[in-house]
Each structure stands twice: as C-alpha cells, then as structure tokens.
C-alpha cells in the first residue's frame, strides 16, 4: 500500500519522549488455554500469544507496534484496554496498577483509554444511528458536555471530517473510510488520553488509508492524545510513530525511536521486515543495491514456540546458544540510548546491502537438494505400491470434486437469493466510496502541486 500513500509530511522524531509515563507494561503475558480429551476435558496446552512484553507509552506520544500476523499485537492491545485479562505481568496507567482492576476500580480511568478497531464494518452497531453510536460512551460514563451531548456529537463529526447533518444516518449509508471516521469520533467522545488503534486502516481501500492516517495524526498532534498504533505495515508506522517496538511470536525483539529502528536496526528480524518495505524515493540503482531478505516460511506455532530465541528457526545467524538461551531485551553495544535489542548475534548498525539474497525457507532448500540428488531405482513392489497410492489419491480427488461441485451449486442458489438484497446496499456503499475516492484524488493533486 505504501506506494499509494499521500501522507502529510511527518515531523522529525523525538529522540527522548518528554511527556509523563502514561502507560507502563512489564512482563505482560497472555496464554490462551487449549482444552482436549473425552469425556472429561482437560487443559492440554496453551497458545502463548503474548509472552513477557515490556513497553512504555508517554503522554502525547505515538508509539508503533509492528510485526507479522499472529505475533500477538492485537492481544497486547486488548490486554492494555482491559478487554482481556492477562495471565501474568503488570499494567500500570499513570502510576496506578490496573492489571487486575475490577470494573468499579476502572471506572475513573475507563474513559481515558479508548480503542479504535480494525474493521469499521463490524465494529459499529448497524441498528444504531451515527448519533447514538457516538453519544453512547458519554451516556454510559455519565458525561454531560456543556451545550448537550447532541451538540458535542455534531462537533465530533466535524472534527473527523464528516457532515454533522449525517447525525441520524445509519452505518450502512457510509463508506469504509467514513465508518472508520465514525469509529474515531466515538473514541474521541470521552476525551481520552490514550488511544489503542489496532490496524485502523488495514481494512480500508488503499486510496482512503492515507486520509484516515492523516486524520489520526492530526488528532494525535492537536489534541495531544497518546497513541499505541498497531500495524503490520512498516511504512505507516514510520510515518505515524516516533517510537517503534517490533514484535515476534509474542515477544518484543527490538524497540527504539523511529530513526534508530529504520536506519540502524540491529535485530535480524527487523532487518528482514524492513527489507520487505518498498521505499518510494529510492533510485533504480539504490533499489538494486538494497538489502533483500526473503523472510520465507511461517511464524512457528505459538502453542509450542522454539526454545531460546524464538526467531532462531528463521534466522540466518542462529547458533547453538540461540536455542539454549533467550536473549534479553537490552541496550547492546553500538545502540543509542533507548534502543534495545534482544539478540545474541545482532547485525551491524547499518542497513547497507548484503552481497546475496538470504533464503530462510528450509523446506525450499530441502526441495532443491532433493531435486539435485538422482532418485534411487525403484523395486517392482515399490512401483506397484506407488501406483495404488496414486489411484487412491485420484479417487479422493474425485470425491472432493463431487462434494465441491454440490457445495458450489448450493452456494450459487443461496447467492441468488441474497443478491437482490445486497444490490441495494452495494449501490449505496459504492456511492459513498466514490465520494471518498474523489476526496483522495483531490488530496493527491494538492500534494503534487505542492
Ligand atoms: N481468543 C483466543 N483464543 C486462542 N488463541 C488466540 C485468541 N486470540 C488470539 N489467539 C492466538 O494468539 C496469537 C496472536 O494473535 P493476535 O491476534 O494477537 O496476533 P496479531 O499479531 O494481532 O495478528 P493479526 O495481525 O493477524 O491480528 C495467534 O496465534 C492467535 O491465533
């Protein structure tokens, strides 16, 4: 998406955050239990979604949390906003321990921590008007702004770039980008001090993403709200956040201010993530010399993560010690103040190009090796067994195809039934999308002109 972003110019990152410590998280852990067995279900394991995360967000700061899908970013966000109960660790908000705070104990600070969700389609109640959606946090928290709640809602709609006259409209009458603006207005209704934004633009059309990021940035700067900005897109985090933490398989592997992380990454995983980010302003020559690391293969299962360093199974520098000792997240030699890295064999503090590509996919290497070695001659028995295996596989494929064909027929019938209903809703959404896209083009033109 990065190539299509038309983001407003970002200001230089603050090296040392100046605000008070708003949120302090230490050793934060969430293990989701897995139950199995019959007839009596027992706990047979756990998904180690978040495992000992430490991070600090200062007042008014924008802090980015990045990593591949499944590394525990959303779970961290949900733990901080108290939508989930942690298995271990400590969450402190403005010096107050809220790790296991009850509903009643949380009441005074509930309004100060808000969340913006990834999917603007499912996060808004389709049966409520925009006015009701934005007003309800004020009602629940007994907040009565001067001038009344309705006036405040209209004001908020204006702040997020929506027409206050749309107060009585329903979510389906808005495009994705507009719905996310409604989500932002709802989060702002309680004048929060900290907003956890969980992938707030990844579900949006590319042409709309930049507008919503710019809106969030304006909100962050003008209203002085701290953000924990969760994303897998490093280009957006770079633009939005002054400090960044990189997560891998439930752990923070590197944290530091934006320029340190992007210009002097030390953890091999950060290098790999950055090598996948397209840079809009690179010349062709620079682009060719740029480091390319193909981080192939999937993140290992969080049910049984690798011992020691969790990245070692995909790391080109891994040695025996990486399997036996977990590297601590510390300021290693060569790092500036506040730049912490968890690695036994960190990269040099430079992002210069490597000599060759690094392929981390062991399965691919094994396949290439297999192809290079000529296959041993088959005995007649083996050949027969192979033929019957193939025949069995073919029968299985046939069965699957028949089931698939039946399922497709059924799906087609169902689709016909719903098509009429969907057509009306789609036409309305398309109209709204067209409005948004037009806005995006105007922004791009304006930027070009500048
Ligand atoms: N309620 C749950 N029960 C069991 N496992 C869960 C639950 N919620 C999340 N997980 C698992 O925890 C791990 C981390 O999930 P999480 O959603 O936090 O990752 P993420 O980095 O936000 O990924 P994504 O960007 O895809 O949402 C994943 O393996 C996920 O399957």
């Amino acid at each position: 998406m990065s190539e299509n972003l038309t983001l407003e110019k970002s200001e230089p990152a603050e090296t040392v955050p100046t605000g008070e410590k708003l949120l302090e998280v230490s050793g934060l852990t969430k293990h989701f239990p897995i139950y199995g067995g019959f007839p009596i279900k027992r706990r047979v394991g756990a998904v180690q979604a978040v495992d000992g995360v430490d991070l600090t967000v200062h007042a008014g700061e924008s802090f980015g949390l990045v990593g591949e899908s499944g590394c525990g970013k959303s779970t961290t966000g949900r733990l901080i906003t108290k939508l989930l109960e942690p298995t271990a660790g400590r969450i402190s908000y403005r010096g107050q321990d809220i790790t296991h705070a009850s509903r009643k104990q949380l009441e005074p600070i509930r309004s100060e921590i808000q969340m913006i969700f990834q999917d603007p389609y499912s996060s808004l109640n389709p049966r409520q008007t925009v006015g009701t959606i934005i007003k309800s946090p004020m009602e629940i928290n007994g907040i009565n702004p001067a001038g009344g709640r309705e006036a405040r809602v209209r004001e908020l709609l204006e702040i997020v770039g929506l027409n206050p006259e749309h107060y009585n409209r329903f979510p389906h009458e808005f495009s994705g980008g507009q719905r996310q603006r409604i989500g932002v207005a709802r989060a702002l209704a309680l004048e929060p001090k900290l907003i956890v934004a969980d992938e707030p633009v990844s579900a949006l059309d590319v042409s709309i993403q930049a507008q919503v990021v710019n809106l969030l940035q304006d909100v962050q700067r003008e209203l002085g709200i701290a953000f924990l900005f969760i994303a897998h897109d490093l280009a957006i985090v770079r633009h939005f956040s002054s400090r960044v933490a990189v997560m891998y398989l439930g752990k923070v592997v590197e944290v530091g201010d934006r320029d340190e992380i992007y210009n002097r990454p030390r953890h091999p995983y950060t290098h790999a993530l950055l090598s996948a980010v397209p840079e809009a302003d690179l010349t062709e020559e620079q682009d060719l010399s740029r480091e390319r690391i193909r981080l192939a293969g999937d993140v290992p299962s969080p049910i049984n993560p690798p011992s020691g360093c969790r990245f070692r199974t995909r790391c080109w520098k891994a040695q025996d010690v990486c399997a036996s000792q977990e590297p601590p997240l510390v300021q290693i030699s060569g790092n500036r103040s506040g730049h912490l890295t968890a690695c036994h064999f960190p990269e040099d503090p430079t992002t210069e190009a490597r000599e060759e590509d690094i392929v981390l996919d062991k399965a691919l290497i094994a396949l290439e090796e297999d192809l290079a070695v000529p296959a041993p001659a088959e005995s007649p028995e083996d050949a027969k067994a192979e033929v019957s295996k193939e025949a069995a596989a073919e029968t299985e494929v046939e069965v699957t195809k028949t089931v698939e064909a039946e399922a497709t027929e059924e799906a087609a019938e169902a689709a016909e039934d719903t098509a009429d209903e969907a057509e009306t809703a789609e036409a309305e959404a398309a109209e709204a999308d067209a409005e948004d896209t037009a806005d995006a083009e105007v922004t791009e033109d304006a930027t070009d002109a500048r």
Side-chain angles (χ1 to χ4, degrees), residues 32 47 49 68-75 199 302:
F32 294 103
V47 180
E68 277 170 290
S69 179
C71 69
K73 306 179 298 290
S74 298
T75 306
E199 302 263 11

Side-chain angles (χ1 to χ4, degrees), residues 202-224:
S202 59
L204 303 179
D205 190 277
V206 170
S207 59
I208 310 303
Q209 291 184 342
Q211 294 178 6
V212 175
V213 172
N214 287 336
L215 166 69
L216 293 174
Q217 196 160 37
D218 289 347
V219 162
Q220 192 247 327
R221 284 189 191 145
E222 284 166 30
L223 306 178

Side-chain angles (χ1 to χ4, degrees), residues 314-335:
R314 299 168 89 194
C315 183
W316 56 96
K317 302 186 93 178
Q319 295 185 26
D320 290 349
V321 65
C322 305
S324 56
Q325 281 176 33
E326 189 184 330
L329 184 66
V330 289
Q331 184 179 337
I332 54 173
S333 146
N335 278 9

Side-chain angles (χ1 to χ4, degrees), residues 30-34 47-50 66-78 84 118 198-199 202 230-232 247 249-250 300-303:
K30 180 69 188 177
H31 291 181
F32 294 103
I34 304 169
V47 180
Q48 302 178 25
V50 175
V66 295
E68 277 170 290
S69 179
C71 69
K73 306 179 298 290
S74 298
T75 306
T76 305
R78 285 169 184 269
L84 285 173
Q118 177 175 2
D198 185 7
E199 302 263 11
S202 59
I230 297 171
H232 62 267
M247 258 187 108
L249 208 53
S301 165
I303 298 171

